[in-house]
Amino acid sequence: MRKDISRSIGKVDNREKSSGSAEYINDRSWEGEVHYALTLRSSIVKGKIINITFPSAREDVHIVDYRDVPGKNFVSILEDDWPVFAEDRVSYLGEPILLLCGPDRTVLEEYRSRIVVDYEEESPFLTLQDAVEKSDPIVSYTIDTGDYAGASEKAARTVKETFETGRQEQVYIEPQGVVAEYTEEGVVLTGSFQCPYYVKNAVINTLGWSGEKVRVIQAVTGGAFGGKEEFPSLISCQVAVASVKLKKTIKLIYNRHEDMEVTTKRHPSLISYEAALDGDNRILGVKMDVKLDGGATTGLSAVVLQRAMIASCGVYHFPAVLATGGVYLTNTVPSGAFRGFGAPQTFFAIEMFMNHLAAKVGEDPVAFKTKHLAKKGDATSTGGIYRDDILMAQMIEEVKKMSGYAEKYRLYSEKGNPRGIGMSLFLHGCGFTGSGEADHIKAKVYLERDEEGRVHILVSNVDMGQGFKTTMMKVVAHSLDIPLDQVVFNNPDTKYVPDSGPTVASRSTMIVGRLLVEACEKLQKETGPARVEANYSQPDYIKWDQDKMKGDAYPAFSWGVNVVEVEVDRDTWETTLLGAWSVHDVGKAIDDRIIRGQVDGGFLQGIGYGLWEKMELKEGRVQQATVTDYIIATASDFVTVENKLIDNPYALGPFGAKGAGELTLIGGAPAVAAAVEQALGAEVYRIPLVPEYLMELKKNG
Amino acid sequence: MVNAYPRTLKDALTLRAEGRRPMGGGTDLMVRFRSAAGVLPRFQQSLVFLRGVDELKNLEERGDLIAIGAGVTLRELCESPLIPVVFKNIMGQMASFAIRSEATLAGNIGNASPAADSLPFLICRNASLVLTGQRGDRTVSVADFITGPGKTLLADDELIREILLPREEFTLSFHKKVGGRRSDAISKLSFLGEARREGNNLFDLRIAFGSVAPRIIRSEEGEALAREVFSRGGNTKDIEGFYEKLITPIDDQRSTAEYRKTVSLNLLRRFMEKLREQ
């Protein structure tokens, strides 16, 4: 008899990770002569490059710049505005201008220090506020569902608030790194990647080569959090160009400082909400506006903005929604993918807004939120339908029991109490937005049985510490009813695996896992060695109009509730965590402990976003560019999370599973912010809630 | 490059006299001179690595003093029964376990950072250093030894040989390190207040502030004022007013001058309250 799939097994990569034998990209050795690459970067924020003066040429230093790009000098993402190498102008501090390649890194460093670049500086936009005042958004959308103008007219009162969120840095285990090998068949790129096919397509575009000459292999990847979604395409294009020019193996590894200064961050945001309330304090509609700081390039910002706007209603159903949003470019380090992808910004804002509204109308925040919860059959923010059961009311009751929320909330409401407790409610749409899966990704998986009867998983999604290998191996082993050690899942190599899409958007388990289940069904009909494939097809009922942002934005939603308890020191304004509780609906956990890993890590990363992780720029330069100064929590800052999973199987997910990768981060910031508000007795409108801000907030009333 | 690994103090001093910079655990220097990934740190002068010198690893009671050799690591101090609990707690909050296993107390002093976490304690306790050179030894107080950020009285041919910590008892030791997180953080500010009170008699009172001025703040005048205010049951505001003038912090990537100053004074007030409640 088959066991419950959720029962935890040891992760298949436990041994290599805990023994230290796992070889990350910088640990690998390479055949033949290796040339290292160092990047020459813009030392100004914005301007024209007038002239570059090099020290006298050396045989062991090679320069690779935009003139060496055989194809297009752009990283292929959404828009062609991210140069592989700057040509005649730079638009942010640290923008790559050229690579220096050679066998000795010390020589390269010394050579780089003597290069002089003359610029003609131009006046930059250094902040989002600056760009909003003086420029137009490079992309904007509107969601118009119901009739907000009508709701506002009927309203007994309207309330408006604005919120602000800052940058966040991923701080993955190993900094960015990629190696390009030049071979007779073409160029082979190995690196720390989330999306091997993004890298492949970007390199094809930049080299102007055909696909079969570009091969991409994922090295062991120790965490990515979105930071290895699009950025690796940039450096892969650079080393590919260098490798082709010099016909050498080129190795580019960032150190932590460089990584923190120049790689993509979470988008800073300005979010405003207006609610129209009727005489019974029910929300008739909301109007929201999101402005995102895209940094110096468009990158993935348009899609991030879509997520931020689609999340406008939080977990609630409002009869009318009018959401507008825009991405503004500033002369700062590019913003990019980060776990949550626009949703954490909006959820901070909507959850705080709901708390504040409850306070204004004199209701308990959880009771106020509960009466606005979306239910099965309700319309989503984009006029789609919540098709599946929503268990939020039950989940709220559960978390209340676990945390003693009601009693603590009452106790801490007494004036002058240094403690506070806060609850956040959140969801995350699983998979690509709208018809992205069907129109753009078109995921394909292979499953292959070899002569010894072992079954090979051939997909392009990666394990980056989250447990994807173990999860998929369990899915296949259970589907075929074979032992786990009969299943093989090697790191993706585009020479062998089809494009099953990127490892992003909480899609891998739900979408790719489901395709593997289908492939298993096909394989069971075959005997002996065989290869089967499965291709994604979108459920017929999913309809999405991208231009109007109308319809079903996601096929399924995962849900969560967080409670955080804190104490704020009135002398130092430091916030100490006292407790953290969560309940999640991820459909069905393929492995309880792996989901537990997502919960612990995501919750802490979300709390960090709300509480500690401050990254500010001064004259375009990242001020907290070391792990010393950028405050991610240590184990001694966190508490043990008490978590509960509620089964709510999704018909189209493998064994009922939905996405879980991003969900667990989203509620951390609003929960801790609500707790801090209670402890402080003051309303907060921006994160992170560093002690300096709390002191200022309390001082200025 | 680190290319001198002496085994004896004599050899270490010979190498030091050649103009080499002393390195204890290297936990400051390796970071300060770090280079691109995979490239060796770019030290501006040659180094002499002191780890192999067993003569610097002494840790013992010597009369009224505890003598701590320059080669003793923070971890060894945290694990020693000779070291006062308050100092163990201070060191236990420095960096991380891995770094404490390498870093030496002498290195933390020699690095002379205004944010060095050991300094408020050592200066509060009137600790001194034995400096040794080819011309002989001399003893200098930690307070005098540090003349400014990164600046000390250490002569070009000298090494810190040991730290001498007087053995003293206090009835109240209130220490607070304020950093961005609970471990692995560089102080935004730190405060140490110590006192010996028996009944209504206050026999001793010492106050030190870290990270809020170019040097650690300790003032005999301020301590006298604090004793006086305590005796007459006066308002702590007077003491705060005195120290406010000495506290001259900066804005940087870790905090703001305003925060550092306000919180320092809040902690001073909290210390005086604790003293009253004792």
Side-chain angles (χ1 to χ4, degrees):
Chain A
M1 206 182 86
R2 288 181 206 185
K3 286 181 291 195
D4 178 5
I5 195 166
S6 300
R7 265 179 61 180
S8 302
I9 61 167
K11 270 163 84 177
V12 295
D13 51 338
N14 273 351
R15 188 177 296 267
E16 61 163 10
K17 296 284 174 64
S18 53
S19 68
S21 65
E23 288 193 317
Y24 295 88
I25 184 65
N26 198 26
D27 303 328
R28 299 269 297 267
S29 47
W30 307 90
E31 275 175 33
E33 193 190 8
V34 172
H35 271 23
Y36 299 95
L38 275 188
T39 312
L40 178 76
R41 302 184 177 282
S42 165
S43 60
I44 66 159
V45 172
K46 185 186 181 193
K48 289 193 185 72
I49 298 173
I50 302 300
N51 186 40
I52 305 181
T53 314
F54 294 96
S56 44
R58 295 178 55 128
E59 271 185 7
D60 55 356
V61 177
H62 305 279
I63 295 159
V64 178
D65 67 12
Y66 72 93
R67 289 165 300 189
D68 299 310
V69 174
K72 289 184 183 146
N73 185 30
F74 289 109
V75 186
S76 165
I77 305 178
L78 297 170
E79 301 288 331
D80 286 347
D81 71 345
W82 197 338
V84 174
F85 297 109
E87 296 187 11
D88 55 347
R89 51 184 306 110
V90 290
S91 56
Y92 63 99
L93 193 85
E95 180 167 353
I97 297 171
L98 53 84
L99 290 187
L100 297 173
C101 302
D104 185 331
R105 284 174 283 193
T106 308
V107 168
L108 297 177
E109 266 242 304
E110 199 272 334
Y111 191 88
R112 181 172 64 175
S113 70
R114 291 191 292 127
I115 297 175
V116 178
V117 184
D118 297 314
Y119 303 95
E120 189 179 300
E121 292 195 50
E122 294 168 8
S123 151
F125 294 152
L126 292 172
T127 63
L128 175 56
Q129 198 69 56
D130 216 11
V132 168
E133 281 165 20
K134 296 173 197 156
S135 68
D136 294 323
I138 47 149
V139 54
S140 58
Y141 299 104
T142 301
I143 293 174
D144 191 355
T145 303
D147 172 18
Y148 183 77
S152 154
E153 238 165 72
K154 273 192 293 183
R157 67 197 289 191
T158 58
V159 178
K160 190 175 174 179
E161 291 189 344
T162 57
F163 301 89
E164 193 179 339
T165 66
R167 285 185 177 76
Q168 189 178 20
E169 158 66 34
Q170 294 89 355
V171 206
Y172 23 68
I173 288 180
E174 81 285 21
Q176 302 276 354
V178 57
V179 173
E181 292 170 279
Y182 185 80
T183 70
E184 276 175 21
E185 291 88 48
V187 64
V188 182
L189 294 130
T190 308
S192 186
F193 303 143
Q194 269 178 268
C195 315
Y197 271 92
Y198 278 8
V199 171
K200 178 169 170 145
N201 293 333
V203 171
I204 289 170
N205 185 59
T206 289
L207 292 182
W209 283 10
S210 60
E212 65 271 19
K213 289 173 73 183
V214 178
R215 177 175 169 191
V216 177
I217 304 169
Q218 183 230 355
V220 175
T221 302
F225 311 108
K228 290 167 183 172
E229 177 169 344
E230 76 277 38
F231 193 86
S233 297
L234 169 70
I235 53 175
S236 296
C237 287
Q238 292 172 345
V239 292
V241 169
S243 177
V244 168
K245 178 180 181 182
L246 304 174
K247 301 190 170 32
K248 287 270 192 303
T249 295
I250 307 288
K251 180 172 176 177
L252 178 62
I253 306 284
Y254 282 2
N255 72 12
R256 181 66 68 178
H257 185 73
E258 180 177 30
D259 190 294
M260 291 185 75
E261 280 201 310
V262 305
T263 65
T264 49
K265 315 294 171 210
R266 188 185 300 289
H267 290 72
S269 76
L270 290 170
I271 300 176
S272 69
Y273 266 101
E274 182 182 286
L277 295 123
D278 70 12
D280 297 325
N281 298 324
R282 273 201 89 99
I283 297 172
L284 299 171
V286 294
K287 184 164 88 168
M288 72 94 78
D289 180 70
V290 194
K291 291 181 170 64
L292 295 181
D293 183 344
T297 59
T298 310
L300 293 165
S301 297
V303 200
V304 174
L305 177 64
Q306 291 167 16
R307 275 246 181 216
M309 292 174 64
I310 292 166
S312 55
C313 293
V315 297
Y316 313 105
H317 172 68
F318 303 132
V321 188
L322 177 59
T324 52
V327 174
Y328 295 80
L329 291 188
T330 59
N331 299 104
T332 62
V333 56
S335 302
F338 197 136
R339 195 178 196 177
F341 212 74
Q345 290 93 322
T346 299
F347 270 91
F348 165 68
I350 182 67
E351 285 298 284
M352 300 317 282
F353 187 50
M354 291 296 280
N355 294 340
H356 298 167
L357 286 176
K360 282 194 174 64
V361 302
E363 289 185 27
D364 173 81
V366 177
F368 182 74
K369 287 177 177 181
T370 304
K371 73 180 187 184
H372 289 98
L373 281 177
K375 290 180 288 297
K376 184 176 179 175
D378 278 345
T380 65
S381 64
T382 51
I385 296 169
Y386 287 111
R387 289 192 165 76
D388 298 312
D389 289 339
I390 297 175
L391 307 178
M392 284 299 272
Q394 178 193 338
M395 290 161 67
I396 292 168
E397 284 315 306
E398 201 64 55
V399 87
K400 276 179 160 177
K401 253 188 279 168
M402 289 158 62
S403 62
Y405 176 87
E407 173 62 18
K408 286 175 180 166
Y409 183 79
R410 194 182 53 72
L411 194 67
Y412 299 162
S413 293
E414 287 165 21
K415 203 172 154 48
N417 196 303
R419 293 190 172 185
I421 193 162
M423 188 188 295
S424 65
L425 312 179
F426 50 97
L427 57 73
H428 197 69
C430 308
F432 267 76
T433 300
S435 307
E437 292 287 347
D439 294 350
H440 301 298
I441 305 300
K442 305 184 177 86
K444 177 193 285 295
V445 306
Y446 295 153
L447 205 54
E448 196 172 289
R449 190 191 294 126
D450 67 17
E451 287 177 358
E452 278 104 62
R454 288 175 308 182
V455 176
H456 298 254
I457 295 173
L458 298 170
V459 300
S460 63
N461 302 83
V462 308
D463 196 310
M464 45 193 174
Q466 85 280 43
F468 185 67
K469 275 189 183 173
T470 310
T471 303
M472 289 304 104
M473 287 165 74
K474 276 181 90 173
V475 164
V476 168
H478 275 250
S479 298
L480 296 174
D481 203 10
I482 58 174
L484 197 80
D485 60 12
Q486 287 290 296
V487 184
V488 180
F489 185 175
N490 292 321
N491 284 13
D493 174 343
T494 60
K495 187 172 179 182
Y496 305 110
V497 303
D499 188 356
S500 57
T503 317
V504 304
S506 301
R507 65 180 291 278
S508 303
T509 295
M510 186 177 91
I511 304 274
V512 179
R514 168 71 188 191
L515 291 177
L516 285 173
V517 170
E518 284 176 26
C520 286
E521 287 161 5
K522 291 182 185 168
L523 192 64
Q524 272 174 322
K525 292 178 190 142
E526 307 284 334
T527 50
R531 169 190 274 196
V532 295
E533 70 173 65
N535 294 283
Y536 180 77
S537 66
Q538 188 161 283
D540 292 340
Y541 53 79
I542 298 285
K543 303 276 182 252
W544 178 250
D545 181 333
Q546 181 63 59
D547 293 335
K548 292 188 178 145
M549 297 271 279
K550 268 263 175 282
D552 286 301
Y554 304 103
F557 298 88
S558 288
W559 303 79
V561 184
N562 282 168
V563 168
V564 174
E565 185 184 2
V566 302
E567 182 164 321
V568 176
D569 185 315
R570 292 300 176 103
D571 288 328
T572 66
W573 306 103
E574 293 169 298
T575 301
T576 302
L577 299 178
L578 301 177
W581 298 266
S582 59
V583 180
H584 292 99
D585 158 13
V586 296
K588 170 79 178 164
I590 300 298
D591 187 284
D592 281 336
R593 196 176 331 153
I594 284 175
I595 296 298
R596 175 65 198 219
Q598 293 291 335
V599 169
D600 283 350
F603 201 173
L604 181 54
Q605 202 166 29
I607 289 173
Y609 178 51
L611 209 47
W612 299 299
E613 297 190 29
K614 178 173 174 173
M615 181 170 271
E616 42 179 13
L617 268 58
K618 205 184 254 177
E619 299 299 316
R621 184 177 296 279
V622 174
Q623 296 299 295
Q624 294 79 16
T626 64
V627 277
T628 304
D629 293 333
Y630 184 72
I631 304 296
I632 56 165
T634 63
S636 44
D637 297 288
F638 203 33
V639 288
T640 303
V641 177
E642 201 183 314
N643 179 59
K644 185 160 187 163
L645 297 178
I646 302 280
D647 280 357
N648 186 15
Y650 167 56
L652 296 180
F655 297 88
K658 299 186 284 194
E662 296 170 281
L663 176 78
T664 55
L665 180 143
I666 293 168
V672 77
V676 168
E677 280 195 337
Q678 194 183 25
L680 209 61
E683 290 187 341
V684 301
Y685 296 93
R686 74 173 208 234
I687 46 173
L689 299 168
V690 292
E692 288 79 4
Y693 172 50
L694 297 190
M695 183 183 88
E696 182 192 312
L697 196 68
K698 204 57 190 172
K699 197 168 135 194
N700 303 333
Chain B
M1 287 283 284
V2 185
N3 50 13
Y5 303 90
R7 311 291 299 185
T8 66
L9 184 56
K10 186 163 170 287
D11 288 351
L13 286 171
T14 307
L15 290 159
R16 169 68 171 146
E18 289 170 7
R20 292 170 187 275
R21 180 174 196 145
M23 179 190 266
T27 55
D28 280 313
L29 296 177
M30 291 295 284
V31 176
R32 190 185 313 160
F33 296 104
R34 68 171 178 260
S35 202
V39 182
L40 291 170
R42 280 214 272 189
F43 298 114
Q44 285 155 346
Q45 64 189 109
S46 299
L47 302 172
V48 49
F49 189 50
L50 300 171
R51 166 91 67 77
V53 181
D54 287 342
E55 290 152 86
L56 295 176
K57 289 182 178 160
N58 61 301
L59 174 56
E60 80 255 338
E61 286 177 296
R62 194 182 293 160
D64 292 338
L65 300 170
I66 299 160
I68 302 164
V72 179
T73 64
L74 299 180
R75 178 177 161 192
E76 286 162 343
L77 291 172
C78 285
E79 290 168 358
S80 164
L82 298 178
I83 300 301
V85 173
V86 57
F87 194 33
K88 286 188 188 187
N89 289 341
I90 289 169
M91 288 185 291
Q93 290 175 56
M94 288 168 71
S96 59
F97 184 80
I99 289 175
R100 291 195 296 273
S101 302
E102 295 294 320
T104 61
L105 180 57
N108 194 237
I109 299 166
N111 193 48
S113 161
D117 285 328
S118 71
L119 293 179
F121 175 83
L122 293 171
I123 289 172
C124 247
R125 291 291 179 106
N126 302 317
S128 54
L129 303 174
V130 178
L131 308 180
T132 185
Q134 286 176 322
R135 289 164 297 169
D137 289 359
R138 60 179 177 136
T139 304
V140 53
S141 75
V142 174
D144 290 340
F145 178 71
I146 292 161
T147 55
K151 292 198 166 57
T152 69
L153 293 177
L154 193 72
D156 287 344
D157 60 351
E158 279 182 320
L159 292 171
I160 297 174
R161 178 178 191 145
E162 58 186 7
I163 299 114
L164 301 176
L165 179 64
R167 295 167 63 198
E168 296 177 289
E169 294 294 327
F170 291 87
T171 56
L172 174 65
S173 288
F174 171 62
H175 171 257
K176 177 79 185 164
K177 167 177 175 165
V178 180
R181 60 191 157 216
R182 281 165 184 258
S183 39
D184 236 336
I186 293 178
S187 291
K188 294 174 178 178
L189 62 103
S190 70
F191 175 86
L192 177 66
E194 297 199 288
R196 189 157 64 83
R197 179 183 169 180
E198 285 163 23
N200 281 329
N201 297 321
L202 184 63
F203 291 103
D204 203 345
L205 180 148
R206 302 180 194 178
I207 291 166
F209 298 89
S211 292
V212 288
R215 298 170 67 193
I216 302 303
I217 294 172
R218 188 173 167 208
S219 158
E220 284 183 18
E221 195 188 342
E223 291 171 8
L225 177 67
R227 278 197 303 273
E228 189 263 318
V229 168
F230 174 81
S231 311
R232 67 175 156 85
N235 193 328
T236 319
K237 281 266 178 265
D238 296 344
I239 319 171
E240 288 174 44
F242 176 85
Y243 279 103
E244 187 176 2
K245 293 192 213 71
L246 302 184
I247 296 173
T248 54
I250 55 166
D251 283 329
D252 67 8
Q253 73 276 21
R254 289 190 270 274
S255 190
T256 63
E258 194 194 352
Y259 175 83
R260 288 181 159 115
K261 183 167 222 163
T262 308
V263 173
S264 294
L265 296 172
N266 288 350
L267 292 171
L268 170 64
R269 194 177 58 244
R270 195 192 278 184
F271 168 64
M272 292 306 291
E273 284 165 9
K274 280 180 184 288
L275 185 59
R276 283 221 178 86
E277 288 160 10
Q278 210 187 21

